[in-house]
């Protein structure tokens, strides 16, 4: 049995992110399990993520995928990262509805199999669900339309 190069790479990435979370958590008060500080949860998540990464990288697979690691899907990575940036930069100015719609639209177009009509339908559905959860169910005071859109 051999190790899959993809599993080893994924495990290493998990360890790196886990250590990053753990190191970042040390900047905050950790506390203890009874009186948790703001750094407790990120530290636990980081340790669990790093542990999972070690397990994934060390596990041998009976059916290891021994093919070479292919190029990353740059289009998907750029669209998903762009969607997150768009949401973070526009949610205060555009409001929840337009920002959520544009974010979901960009993220759904990351897949080459998703066509524009389906992406628009998905974005609209996700926007409605977001409003139902955050505004209706949780009663958060989020502006549905922001000051950048004159009504």
């Amino acid at each position: 049995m051999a190790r899959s190069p993809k599993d080893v790479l994924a495990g290493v990435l998990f360890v790196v992110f886990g250590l990053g979370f753990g190191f970042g958590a040390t900047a905050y008060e950790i506390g203890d399990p009874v009186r948790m500080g703001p750094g407790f949860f990120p530290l636990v998540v980081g340790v669990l993520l790093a542990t999972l990464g070690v397990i994934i990288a060390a596990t041998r697979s009976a059916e290891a995928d021994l093919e070479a690691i292919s190029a990353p899907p740059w289009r998907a990575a750029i669209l998903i990262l762009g969607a997150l940036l768009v949401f973070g930069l526009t949610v205060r100015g555009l409001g929840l509805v337009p920002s959520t719609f544009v974010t979901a639209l960009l993220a759904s177009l990351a897949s080459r199999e998703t066509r524009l009509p389906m992406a628009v339908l998905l974005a609209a559905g996700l926007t409605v669900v977001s409003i139902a959860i955050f505004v209706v169910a949780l009663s958060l005071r989020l502006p549905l339309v922001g000051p950048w859109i004159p009504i």
Side-chain angles (χ1 to χ4, degrees):
M1 290 190 290
R3 288 188 187 106
S4 167
K6 292 180 182 178
D7 287 346
V8 172
L9 182 60
V12 168
L13 286 175
F14 276 41
V15 169
V16 168
F17 282 115
L19 292 175
F21 267 88
F23 181 72
T26 61
Y28 301 101
E29 181 183 338
I30 304 297
D32 55 48
V34 176
R35 295 185 141 208
M36 295 181 212
F40 187 84
F41 185 72
L43 180 64
V44 170
V45 169
V47 168
L48 290 174
L49 193 60
T51 304
L52 181 63
V54 169
I55 292 169
I56 289 172
T59 302
R60 292 178 184 249
S61 174
E63 298 177 18
D65 182 11
L66 298 177
E67 67 185 47
I69 297 174
S70 60
W74 290 113
R75 175 179 185 246
I78 289 169
L79 281 172
I80 290 173
L81 181 60
L84 293 172
L85 288 173
V86 165
F87 185 81
L89 294 173
T90 64
V91 71
R92 289 182 189 226
L94 291 178
L96 182 65
V97 173
S99 292
T100 303
F101 183 83
V102 171
T103 299
L105 183 67
L106 287 173
S108 64
L109 289 173
S111 170
R112 293 191 186 277
E113 298 173 9
T114 305
R115 300 291 173 238
L116 187 59
M118 180 56 84
V120 169
L121 186 63
L122 181 64
L126 188 59
T127 302
V128 169
V129 169
S130 296
I131 292 168
I133 291 172
F134 295 110
V135 176
V136 177
L138 296 176
S139 299
L140 295 178
R141 293 183 179 192
L142 299 171
L144 297 179
V145 178
W148 293 353
I149 300 176
I151 297 180

PDB file of all heavy atoms in Angstrom, residues 90-111:
ATOM      1  N   THR A  90     -18.644  45.133   0.194  1.00  0.00           N
ATOM      2  CA  THR A  90     -19.893  45.797  -0.223  1.00  0.00           C
ATOM      3  C   THR A  90     -21.075  45.611   0.719  1.00  0.00           C
ATOM      4  O   THR A  90     -22.100  46.256   0.524  1.00  0.00           O
ATOM      5  CB  THR A  90     -20.326  45.302  -1.615  1.00  0.00           C
ATOM      6  OG1 THR A  90     -20.631  43.903  -1.554  1.00  0.00           O
ATOM      7  CG2 THR A  90     -19.276  45.579  -2.658  1.00  0.00           C
ATOM      8  N   VAL A  91     -20.970  44.760   1.729  1.00  0.00           N
ATOM      9  CA  VAL A  91     -22.150  44.478   2.547  1.00  0.00           C
ATOM     10  C   VAL A  91     -22.646  45.723   3.284  1.00  0.00           C
ATOM     11  O   VAL A  91     -23.854  45.912   3.430  1.00  0.00           O
ATOM     12  CB  VAL A  91     -21.897  43.298   3.507  1.00  0.00           C
ATOM     13  CG1 VAL A  91     -20.932  43.676   4.610  1.00  0.00           C
ATOM     14  CG2 VAL A  91     -23.206  42.786   4.084  1.00  0.00           C
ATOM     15  N   ARG A  92     -21.762  46.580   3.720  1.00  0.00           N
ATOM     16  CA  ARG A  92     -22.214  47.803   4.415  1.00  0.00           C
ATOM     17  C   ARG A  92     -22.786  48.835   3.454  1.00  0.00           C
ATOM     18  O   ARG A  92     -23.734  49.526   3.774  1.00  0.00           O
ATOM     19  CB  ARG A  92     -21.064  48.426   5.195  1.00  0.00           C
ATOM     20  CG  ARG A  92     -20.682  47.614   6.402  1.00  0.00           C
ATOM     21  CD  ARG A  92     -19.566  48.283   7.165  1.00  0.00           C
ATOM     22  NE  ARG A  92     -19.084  47.390   8.196  1.00  0.00           N
ATOM     23  CZ  ARG A  92     -18.870  47.765   9.434  1.00  0.00           C
ATOM     24  NH1 ARG A  92     -19.087  49.007   9.790  1.00  0.00           N
ATOM     25  NH2 ARG A  92     -18.422  46.903  10.301  1.00  0.00           N
ATOM     26  N   GLY A  93     -22.186  48.945   2.286  1.00  0.00           N
ATOM     27  CA  GLY A  93     -22.639  49.953   1.332  1.00  0.00           C
ATOM     28  C   GLY A  93     -23.844  49.532   0.515  1.00  0.00           C
ATOM     29  O   GLY A  93     -24.746  50.326   0.258  1.00  0.00           O
ATOM     30  N   LEU A  94     -23.884  48.268   0.074  1.00  0.00           N
ATOM     31  CA  LEU A  94     -24.998  47.792  -0.752  1.00  0.00           C
ATOM     32  C   LEU A  94     -26.130  47.198   0.079  1.00  0.00           C
ATOM     33  O   LEU A  94     -27.268  47.183  -0.354  1.00  0.00           O
ATOM     34  CB  LEU A  94     -24.509  46.737  -1.756  1.00  0.00           C
ATOM     35  CG  LEU A  94     -23.615  47.212  -2.879  1.00  0.00           C
ATOM     36  CD1 LEU A  94     -23.179  46.043  -3.741  1.00  0.00           C
ATOM     37  CD2 LEU A  94     -24.311  48.267  -3.718  1.00  0.00           C
ATOM     38  N   GLY A  95     -25.795  46.663   1.235  1.00  0.00           N
ATOM     39  CA  GLY A  95     -26.803  46.005   2.061  1.00  0.00           C
ATOM     40  C   GLY A  95     -26.747  44.495   1.886  1.00  0.00           C
ATOM     41  O   GLY A  95     -26.017  43.963   1.045  1.00  0.00           O
ATOM     42  N   LEU A  96     -27.548  43.799   2.694  1.00  0.00           N
ATOM     43  CA  LEU A  96     -27.511  42.348   2.715  1.00  0.00           C
ATOM     44  C   LEU A  96     -27.988  41.720   1.413  1.00  0.00           C
ATOM     45  O   LEU A  96     -27.361  40.794   0.901  1.00  0.00           O
ATOM     46  CB  LEU A  96     -28.355  41.825   3.888  1.00  0.00           C
ATOM     47  CG  LEU A  96     -28.373  40.315   4.068  1.00  0.00           C
ATOM     48  CD1 LEU A  96     -26.991  39.812   4.441  1.00  0.00           C
ATOM     49  CD2 LEU A  96     -29.392  39.913   5.107  1.00  0.00           C
ATOM     50  N   VAL A  97     -29.077  42.198   0.859  1.00  0.00           N
ATOM     51  CA  VAL A  97     -29.665  41.553  -0.322  1.00  0.00           C
ATOM     52  C   VAL A  97     -28.734  41.621  -1.539  1.00  0.00           C
ATOM     53  O   VAL A  97     -28.392  40.578  -2.107  1.00  0.00           O
ATOM     54  CB  VAL A  97     -31.066  42.140  -0.632  1.00  0.00           C
ATOM     55  CG1 VAL A  97     -31.599  41.597  -1.942  1.00  0.00           C
ATOM     56  CG2 VAL A  97     -32.026  41.824   0.508  1.00  0.00           C
ATOM     57  N   PRO A  98     -28.300  42.802  -1.982  1.00  0.00           N
ATOM     58  CA  PRO A  98     -27.439  42.820  -3.171  1.00  0.00           C
ATOM     59  C   PRO A  98     -26.090  42.131  -2.946  1.00  0.00           C
ATOM     60  O   PRO A  98     -25.600  41.426  -3.832  1.00  0.00           O
ATOM     61  CB  PRO A  98     -27.237  44.308  -3.468  1.00  0.00           C
ATOM     62  CG  PRO A  98     -28.237  45.028  -2.669  1.00  0.00           C
ATOM     63  CD  PRO A  98     -28.628  44.150  -1.541  1.00  0.00           C
ATOM     64  N   SER A  99     -25.499  42.314  -1.777  1.00  0.00           N
ATOM     65  CA  SER A  99     -24.195  41.699  -1.511  1.00  0.00           C
ATOM     66  C   SER A  99     -24.288  40.181  -1.484  1.00  0.00           C
ATOM     67  O   SER A  99     -23.429  39.488  -2.044  1.00  0.00           O
ATOM     68  CB  SER A  99     -23.635  42.198  -0.182  1.00  0.00           C
ATOM     69  OG  SER A  99     -23.310  43.553  -0.273  1.00  0.00           O
ATOM     70  N   THR A 100     -25.306  39.651  -0.849  1.00  0.00           N
ATOM     71  CA  THR A 100     -25.484  38.204  -0.802  1.00  0.00           C
ATOM     72  C   THR A 100     -25.748  37.653  -2.193  1.00  0.00           C
ATOM     73  O   THR A 100     -25.208  36.610  -2.578  1.00  0.00           O
ATOM     74  CB  THR A 100     -26.625  37.825   0.150  1.00  0.00           C
ATOM     75  OG1 THR A 100     -26.344  38.358   1.442  1.00  0.00           O
ATOM     76  CG2 THR A 100     -26.795  36.331   0.256  1.00  0.00           C
ATOM     77  N   PHE A 101     -26.566  38.339  -2.961  1.00  0.00           N
ATOM     78  CA  PHE A 101     -26.884  37.884  -4.307  1.00  0.00           C
ATOM     79  C   PHE A 101     -25.627  37.827  -5.182  1.00  0.00           C
ATOM     80  O   PHE A 101     -25.363  36.821  -5.838  1.00  0.00           O
ATOM     81  CB  PHE A 101     -27.940  38.784  -4.949  1.00  0.00           C
ATOM     82  CG  PHE A 101     -28.355  38.326  -6.311  1.00  0.00           C
ATOM     83  CD1 PHE A 101     -29.314  37.342  -6.451  1.00  0.00           C
ATOM     84  CD2 PHE A 101     -27.787  38.866  -7.455  1.00  0.00           C
ATOM     85  CE1 PHE A 101     -29.694  36.892  -7.705  1.00  0.00           C
ATOM     86  CE2 PHE A 101     -28.158  38.429  -8.712  1.00  0.00           C
ATOM     87  CZ  PHE A 101     -29.119  37.440  -8.839  1.00  0.00           C
ATOM     88  N   VAL A 102     -24.842  38.903  -5.187  1.00  0.00           N
ATOM     89  CA  VAL A 102     -23.631  38.949  -6.020  1.00  0.00           C
ATOM     90  C   VAL A 102     -22.610  37.912  -5.547  1.00  0.00           C
ATOM     91  O   VAL A 102     -21.976  37.232  -6.359  1.00  0.00           O
ATOM     92  CB  VAL A 102     -23.025  40.370  -6.026  1.00  0.00           C
ATOM     93  CG1 VAL A 102     -21.664  40.391  -6.691  1.00  0.00           C
ATOM     94  CG2 VAL A 102     -23.970  41.339  -6.713  1.00  0.00           C
ATOM     95  N   THR A 103     -22.471  37.766  -4.241  1.00  0.00           N
ATOM     96  CA  THR A 103     -21.533  36.784  -3.690  1.00  0.00           C
ATOM     97  C   THR A 103     -21.917  35.373  -4.108  1.00  0.00           C
ATOM     98  O   THR A 103     -21.075  34.592  -4.565  1.00  0.00           O
ATOM     99  CB  THR A 103     -21.492  36.897  -2.161  1.00  0.00           C
ATOM    100  OG1 THR A 103     -21.053  38.205  -1.804  1.00  0.00           O
ATOM    101  CG2 THR A 103     -20.564  35.862  -1.552  1.00  0.00           C
ATOM    102  N   ALA A 104     -23.188  35.029  -3.941  1.00  0.00           N
ATOM    103  CA  ALA A 104     -23.648  33.687  -4.318  1.00  0.00           C
ATOM    104  C   ALA A 104     -23.538  33.473  -5.826  1.00  0.00           C
ATOM    105  O   ALA A 104     -23.206  32.373  -6.277  1.00  0.00           O
ATOM    106  CB  ALA A 104     -25.083  33.480  -3.849  1.00  0.00           C
ATOM    107  N   LEU A 105     -23.801  34.496  -6.601  1.00  0.00           N
ATOM    108  CA  LEU A 105     -23.698  34.390  -8.056  1.00  0.00           C
ATOM    109  C   LEU A 105     -22.251  34.103  -8.477  1.00  0.00           C
ATOM    110  O   LEU A 105     -21.991  33.188  -9.265  1.00  0.00           O
ATOM    111  CB  LEU A 105     -24.198  35.674  -8.718  1.00  0.00           C
ATOM    112  CG  LEU A 105     -24.226  35.685 -10.237  1.00  0.00           C
ATOM    113  CD1 LEU A 105     -25.267  34.685 -10.744  1.00  0.00           C
ATOM    114  CD2 LEU A 105     -24.545  37.074 -10.750  1.00  0.00           C
ATOM    115  N   LEU A 106     -21.302  34.855  -7.932  1.00  0.00           N
ATOM    116  CA  LEU A 106     -19.896  34.635  -8.274  1.00  0.00           C
ATOM    117  C   LEU A 106     -19.427  33.255  -7.827  1.00  0.00           C
ATOM    118  O   LEU A 106     -18.735  32.551  -8.568  1.00  0.00           O
ATOM    119  CB  LEU A 106     -19.022  35.704  -7.633  1.00  0.00           C
ATOM    120  CG  LEU A 106     -19.099  37.101  -8.241  1.00  0.00           C
ATOM    121  CD1 LEU A 106     -18.299  38.088  -7.395  1.00  0.00           C
ATOM    122  CD2 LEU A 106     -18.594  37.087  -9.664  1.00  0.00           C
ATOM    123  N   ALA A 107     -19.805  32.862  -6.620  1.00  0.00           N
ATOM    124  CA  ALA A 107     -19.366  31.565  -6.109  1.00  0.00           C
ATOM    125  C   ALA A 107     -19.964  30.411  -6.909  1.00  0.00           C
ATOM    126  O   ALA A 107     -19.300  29.409  -7.166  1.00  0.00           O
ATOM    127  CB  ALA A 107     -19.736  31.430  -4.636  1.00  0.00           C
ATOM    128  N   SER A 108     -21.214  30.540  -7.326  1.00  0.00           N
ATOM    129  CA  SER A 108     -21.831  29.452  -8.092  1.00  0.00           C
ATOM    130  C   SER A 108     -21.252  29.356  -9.500  1.00  0.00           C
ATOM    131  O   SER A 108     -21.233  28.273 -10.091  1.00  0.00           O
ATOM    132  CB  SER A 108     -23.347  29.619  -8.148  1.00  0.00           C
ATOM    133  OG  SER A 108     -23.686  30.798  -8.835  1.00  0.00           O
ATOM    134  N   LEU A 109     -20.753  30.449 -10.032  1.00  0.00           N
ATOM    135  CA  LEU A 109     -20.134  30.414 -11.359  1.00  0.00           C
ATOM    136  C   LEU A 109     -18.720  29.836 -11.325  1.00  0.00           C
ATOM    137  O   LEU A 109     -18.093  29.668 -12.370  1.00  0.00           O
ATOM    138  CB  LEU A 109     -20.113  31.818 -11.971  1.00  0.00           C
ATOM    139  CG  LEU A 109     -21.475  32.360 -12.395  1.00  0.00           C
ATOM    140  CD1 LEU A 109     -21.355  33.814 -12.834  1.00  0.00           C
ATOM    141  CD2 LEU A 109     -22.084  31.501 -13.489  1.00  0.00           C
ATOM    142  N   ALA A 110     -18.223  29.504 -10.136  1.00  0.00           N
ATOM    143  CA  ALA A 110     -16.901  28.887 -10.026  1.00  0.00           C
ATOM    144  C   ALA A 110     -16.890  27.507 -10.671  1.00  0.00           C
ATOM    145  O   ALA A 110     -15.862  27.056 -11.151  1.00  0.00           O
ATOM    146  CB  ALA A 110     -16.480  28.794  -8.565  1.00  0.00           C
ATOM    147  N   SER A 111     -18.030  26.840 -10.691  1.00  0.00           N
ATOM    148  CA  SER A 111     -18.117  25.535 -11.338  1.00  0.00           C
ATOM    149  C   SER A 111     -18.337  25.728 -12.834  1.00  0.00           C
ATOM    150  O   SER A 111     -19.206  26.499 -13.248  1.00  0.00           O
ATOM    151  CB  SER A 111     -19.275  24.726 -10.752  1.00  0.00           C
ATOM    152  OG  SER A 111     -19.500  23.565 -11.520  1.00  0.00           O
TER     153      SER A 111
END
